[in-house]
Amino acid sequence: MCGIIGYIGQQRAVPVLLNGLRRMEYRGYDSAGVAVLHNGNLNITKVSGKIASLREMLQGHEPPGSIGLGHTRWATHGEPTQTNAHPITDGSGRIAIIHNGIIENFLTLKTELISKGHSFQTDTDTEVLAHLIEEFYEGDIEQAVRLALKHVRGTYGLVVMCHDEPDKLIAARLGSPLVIGLGEDENFVASDLAAMIDYTRNVIFLDDGEMAVINRSKVANTKLDRQVVNKKVEQISFDIEEIEKNRFPHFMLKEISEQPNSLCDAMRGRLLEEQGTARLGGLHGFRDELKNVKRIVLLGCGTSWHSAMIGEYLIEELAGIPVEVEYASEFRYRSPVIEPNTIAIAISQSGETIDTLAAMREAEQRGATVLGICNVVGSTIARESAAGVYIHAGPEIGVASTKAFTSQVAVLTLLALKLGRDRGFIDVERGKRLADEMLKLPDKVQTLLNRSAEIAELADELKNKPNFLYLSRGVNFPVALEGALKLKEISYIHAEGYPAAEMKHGPIALIDENMPVVFIAVNGHTYDKVISNIEEVRARKGYIIAVVNEGDEVICRHAHRVIEIPETDTFLTPILSVIPLQLLAYHIAVMRGCDVDQPRNLAKSVTVE
């Protein structure tokens, strides 16, 4: 769920570990710690709180060893205390472990271990794993880890260090990402590429059920049953500058501001204007499956679920293919019916979201052709899907997703356009008009970004309101959900999104003069209906903020405040209408003194259920 970094080499370990943890700080965490081996001593320093506190605690007391572990924890089992922080040791104090994931049978294992004389100091499931490894340790830490993991049910990305074997780290993965970085007489292991980008560009991605024995000069990869695995060495492609704030006060604002470029990158080389269609190279080998598809299932969580909902409108409207959008977290806990010629598409920024990955595997097991739409090259969803499309948004550090959302919607629009043209559902002229409007989106987004100060004024007016409603209809209804989510995530203001017509079925009871109601009321076949919904709110003294097309003179007479977006094709309006909502949430959060990039209780990549 959070940050793992391990190092073995020639450098002092602590600076490398702290730098790696700093690079992963964006993922969200509540405690941090490091463990370093030196001259037969296992030195552990842990804090409840931020990495800055850990660094301060180590100042002047930094152990000089060149092998160590670092971890930032997002609490699952046990409160975020110093005791529960990682690294965790076994009962003997010889073995240290850092772990992402959840050990589902930890209570059963703990009971068995207590009966054998083990005593526990923390409330974590990870300590059970440390003691289980201790139970099997007879001088070979690799073998002890293998034997222990055979008794474990759940998910893990873990790294183990033993003070009796100070020349190796043991890493293992099942359901939680791990990547190994290869250097000169030094090697790294981490849960995030960013943790090692300052030191190496050469990496190996561990797959589920794999282990690695990591020495200073080599890495040996195997399955849990000792079967040797020959891993491909891959290159990290992004630059350090992409994961720095540069001139921006927050990563979130930087990433909101990067959307003209990220949209260009999502579309680059993919739009065929003259033919009025799109080319998606990652799907090239699946022409028959796309041609014969009878049904598409879109799988996602959070913001990716919202982009999937927009994708449903786009694909059904432009290609005439039935689409279902599923919460990935619920998909495998019922009995989903997968008919012949069904394509399931997993959508995830990180490509590591555990619920989306599990849903994707369930769909594949039931006979669907599984595709992926994700951002991170080399991620698990990218590797396990039969084919897919990268959104090319670049690293997204802010916990609240912004540029990934608009890039996902852009890629889903490209897919809908391609399917519609390939199937003859839309003609070349309709395709050309849509392609032309897509190419204009980056400039139009920049126009909206230039109005940030105007939206900040509105934020100042609304920052102390305790509740918000976000309403819209049609293809912009998911944008209402996304706008509400952004406000909740980073400002801690309660907000809900609804289809505007659903307001009458309950939420209207909440509306009074203290309730801001944000309408996305852009041109389209539901425009008049939305005006009626605005009037219903106005009659109950709700404070109306409307996102409208430029030059709209009708809603101006009904709303208290209006935010204009440039004209575009109706099915492209979500990419524009979401921009002011992102900025509104950002400015409100800053004015309330909230930690915009690391909101409380949230993590960037949700790799536990």
Side-chain angles (χ1 to χ4, degrees):
M1 187 79 171
C2 292
I4 279 177
I5 176 71
Y7 174 75
I8 181 169
Q10 307 300 322
Q11 303 183 57
R12 290 170 70 104
V14 168
V16 176
L17 298 175
L18 289 176
N19 187 54
L21 294 179
R22 178 181 66 85
R23 291 289 188 196
M24 295 185 289
E25 210 167 8
Y26 73 95
R27 297 170 69 95
Y29 67 102
D30 44 50
S31 58
V34 296
V36 176
L37 266 176
H38 180 63
N39 289 340
N41 294 314
L42 182 57
N43 301 283
I44 295 179
T45 307
K46 306 192 291 187
V47 298
S48 173
K50 296 298 184 181
I51 293 166
S53 299
L54 178 64
R55 182 180 287 107
E56 185 178 332
M57 186 177 290
L58 285 163
Q59 194 167 7
H61 306 283
E62 178 186 306
S66 58
I67 174 174
L69 308 174
H71 191 267
T72 49
R73 176 177 183 254
W74 186 88
T76 55
H77 294 65
E79 295 180 4
T81 63
Q82 183 179 30
T83 300
N84 288 334
H86 295 204
I88 299 285
T89 61
D90 70 320
S92 70
R94 296 178 301 168
I95 297 168
I97 179 173
I98 52 178
H99 165 231
N100 288 348
I102 291 178
I103 307 304
E104 294 174 1
N105 61 333
F106 84 101
L107 279 175
T108 301
L109 294 172
K110 188 173 186 176
T111 301
E112 292 176 1
L113 289 165
I114 289 172
S115 71
K116 294 179 180 181
H118 290 258
S119 177
F120 291 84
Q121 308 302 315
T122 80
D123 302 315
T124 68
D125 55 338
T126 300
E127 189 182 10
V128 174
L129 187 51
H131 282 255
L132 191 60
I133 294 170
E134 176 193 7
E135 183 69 18
F136 288 106
Y137 185 66
E138 296 179 350
D140 184 344
I141 190 63
E142 177 187 354
Q143 177 67 359
V145 172
R146 288 183 192 279
L147 293 172
L149 292 181
K150 289 181 179 179
H151 292 76
V152 165
R153 195 171 67 247
T155 60
Y156 53 79
L158 62 91
V159 187
V160 181
M161 182 172 67
C162 179
H163 102 341
D164 295 341
E165 300 178 59
D167 59 345
K168 67 180 70 169
L169 299 173
I170 310 297
R173 176 215 160 122
L174 183 67
S176 191
L178 281 182
V179 57
I180 296 169
L182 307 176
E184 292 291 333
D185 293 321
E186 62 179 2
N187 289 306
F188 310 80
V189 57
S191 54
D192 193 312
L193 291 170
M196 59 185 74
I197 192 174
D198 293 289
Y199 309 102
T200 183
R201 295 275 170 168
N202 300 317
V203 299
I204 292 171
F205 293 97
L206 285 189
D207 289 313
D208 280 352
E210 291 181 353
M211 285 182 60
V213 179
I214 306 167
N215 304 112
R216 287 175 173 82
S217 58
K218 65 179 181 179
V219 175
N221 296 101
T222 64
K223 299 280 191 182
L224 279 182
D225 62 4
R226 291 188 176 273
Q227 178 186 346
V228 174
V229 180
N230 295 315
K231 304 294 290 185
K232 178 184 176 183
V233 178
E234 302 189 39
Q235 300 287 314
I236 299 176
S237 58
F238 62 84
D239 296 323
I240 291 177
E241 281 192 3
E242 294 184 75
I243 55 174
E244 298 285 1
K245 289 179 189 174
N246 298 328
R247 60 185 174 85
F248 292 91
H250 301 97
F251 280 112
M252 183 179 180
L253 184 60
K254 175 176 180 273
E255 288 153 9
I256 290 172
S257 302
E258 287 173 343
Q259 287 175 107
N261 291 330
S262 58
L263 284 167
C264 283
D265 291 340
M267 295 185 289
R268 181 172 289 114
R270 291 170 167 173
L271 271 174
L272 305 177
E273 292 177 80
E274 291 304 312
Q275 290 86 10
T277 188
R279 173 178 53 213
L280 298 172
L283 305 181
H284 182 72
F286 287 79
R287 290 177 179 175
D288 290 343
E289 288 85 348
L290 293 171
K291 180 180 178 181
N292 297 321
V293 62
K294 295 290 189 287
R295 176 169 164 254
I296 293 175
V297 178
L298 300 176
L299 305 166
C301 297
T303 287
S304 295
W305 186 73
H306 297 157
S307 65
M309 293 182 71
I310 295 171
E312 179 181 24
Y313 284 97
L314 294 169
I315 294 170
E316 291 189 342
E317 178 73 22
L318 298 174
I321 301 169
V323 178
E324 291 181 29
V325 178
E326 297 275 1
Y327 278 115
S329 56
E330 290 296 317
F331 182 74
R332 69 186 174 121
Y333 291 109
R334 54 186 181 79
S335 298
V337 177
I338 300 295
E339 300 161 336
N341 298 317
T342 294
I343 291 177
I345 303 177
I347 306 173
S348 167
Q349 187 281 136
S350 67
E352 301 291 353
T353 308
I354 190 67
D355 289 319
T356 307
L357 183 57
M360 183 182 86
R361 289 168 175 164
E362 179 74 16
E364 182 179 33
Q365 186 177 355
R366 290 176 177 270
T369 297
V370 174
L371 308 178
I373 294 176
C374 58
N375 190 33
V376 179
V377 176
S379 60
T380 305
I381 286 176
R383 297 199 311 276
E384 290 196 12
S385 54
V389 184
Y390 286 116
I391 65 173
H392 296 309
E396 188 177 65
I397 306 301
V399 166
S401 181
T402 52
K403 65 177 182 175
F405 174 76
T406 50
S407 292
Q408 286 172 348
V409 175
V411 165
L412 286 163
T413 308
L414 292 171
L415 177 61
L417 175 59
K418 174 180 170 54
L419 291 171
R421 291 287 294 114
D422 287 353
R423 295 163 64 90
F425 198 80
I426 57 174
D427 61 24
V428 66
E429 290 305 317
R430 174 71 176 103
K432 288 172 70 172
R433 290 196 302 274
L434 188 64
D436 180 63
E437 285 297 324
M438 289 191 75
L439 291 171
K440 295 175 182 176
L441 284 173
D443 287 340
K444 292 179 179 181
V445 168
Q446 187 60 57
T447 298
L448 290 168
L449 295 173
N450 294 341
R451 299 174 187 167
S452 181
E454 171 190 332
I455 295 169
E457 290 180 10
L458 176 60
D460 189 47
E461 182 182 338
L462 301 174
K463 65 179 184 289
N464 293 319
K465 299 293 185 181
N467 301 287
F468 278 65
L469 281 179
Y470 287 73
L471 304 173
S472 191
R473 304 186 77 151
V475 72
N476 277 287
F477 154 56
V479 178
L481 298 178
E482 178 64 9
L485 177 63
K486 286 292 151 288
L487 191 67
K488 281 184 282 196
E489 284 180 311
I490 62 171
S491 75
Y492 317 141
I493 293 173
H494 175 251
E496 298 294 340
Y498 288 94
E502 288 297 305
M503 175 187 60
K504 300 186 295 292
H505 300 282
I508 198 168
L510 300 171
I511 295 173
D512 59 20
E513 62 273 13
N514 294 315
M515 174 69 81
V517 183
V518 181
F519 280 92
I520 300 108
V522 297
N523 293 337
H525 67 276
T526 61
Y527 178 79
D528 291 338
K529 300 289 186 183
V530 174
I531 291 177
S532 297
N533 299 138
I534 289 173
E535 282 301 298
E536 291 167 343
V537 171
R538 188 179 179 87
R540 288 155 181 84
K541 300 183 180 180
Y543 188 88
I544 299 163
I545 302 106
V547 177
V548 301
N549 290 106
E550 284 178 338
D552 187 312
E553 297 180 357
V554 176
I555 292 180
C556 287
R557 297 194 294 268
H558 300 266
H560 297 90
R561 294 291 295 267
V562 165
I563 303 171
E564 293 186 340
I565 66 170
E567 285 282 353
T568 190
D569 186 286
T570 298
F571 289 97
L572 302 180
T573 53
I575 291 175
L576 299 181
S577 62
V578 77
I579 303 297
L581 304 188
Q582 293 172 348
L583 288 168
L584 181 64
Y586 170 78
H587 287 302
I588 287 176
V590 170
M591 291 173 184
R592 289 168 63 89
C594 300
D595 190 341
V596 172
D597 287 334
Q598 297 174 46
R600 68 188 183 202
N601 302 333
L602 294 180
K604 180 63 176 172
S605 301
V606 183
T607 57
V608 296
E609 288 194 78

